[in-house]
Amino acid sequence: MSLVQVYSASNSLEAHSLKGMLETEAIDVVLKGETLSSATGELPADVLAVTLWVDVVQEAVARKVLAHYEAQSNAVWWCSACQEESGGNFEICWQCGVPRAEIE
Ligand SMILES: [Zn+2]
């Protein structure tokens, strides 16, 4: 198995949510960068980039999933209940909690 880097997450939280998303598509993900940051003790782990690596045979599928994620993250939507604007990476309204799926 040979690994290729498919994404550089801005923090460990994003890395883990992307890992979970890829795993639902049956893609095995290896995270790199976290152990390095906690070893130095100079910076909190969440401000250092964490990279996502997948098997080269799953690279094309992984990139497709990630491209979809990025497109969603960049698009904002408006809650039908309270009219609040939410980022595309939110699945529910951050203010009142109405799920996005019920709006569309
Ligand atoms: Zn709302």
Side-chain angles (χ1 to χ4, degrees), residues 71-84:
Q72 277 197 328
S73 299
N74 293 333
V76 298
W77 55 279
W78 288 267
C79 178
S80 61
C82 71
Q83 316 305 323
E84 192 58 50

Side-chain angles (χ1 to χ4, degrees), residues 77-86 92-99 103:
W77 55 279
W78 288 267
C79 178
S80 61
C82 71
Q83 316 305 323
E84 192 58 50
E85 180 181 311
S86 291
I92 60 170
C93 172
W94 66 269
Q95 178 161 273
C96 73
V98 169
I103 295 163

Side-chain angles (χ1 to χ4, degrees), residues 14-92:
E14 182 186 28
H16 280 279
S17 75
L18 287 171
K19 181 174 187 279
M21 195 173 69
L22 288 165
E23 283 172 348
T24 65
E25 304 290 329
I27 300 168
D28 294 322
V29 181
V30 176
L31 298 181
K32 296 188 182 182
E34 286 187 305
T35 51
L36 190 75
S37 59
S38 56
T40 65
E42 290 172 0
L43 288 167
D46 62 357
V47 302
L48 290 177
V50 180
T51 50
L52 279 76
W53 299 68
V54 301
D55 192 331
V56 67
V57 300
Q58 295 181 312
E59 180 185 2
V61 186
R63 287 195 186 279
K64 197 177 290 183
V65 174
L66 291 166
H68 181 69
Y69 163 80
E70 287 196 307
Q72 277 197 328
S73 299
N74 293 333
V76 298
W77 55 279
W78 288 267
C79 178
S80 61
C82 71
Q83 316 305 323
E84 192 58 50
E85 180 181 311
S86 291
N89 53 338
F90 288 91
E91 290 304 315
I92 60 170

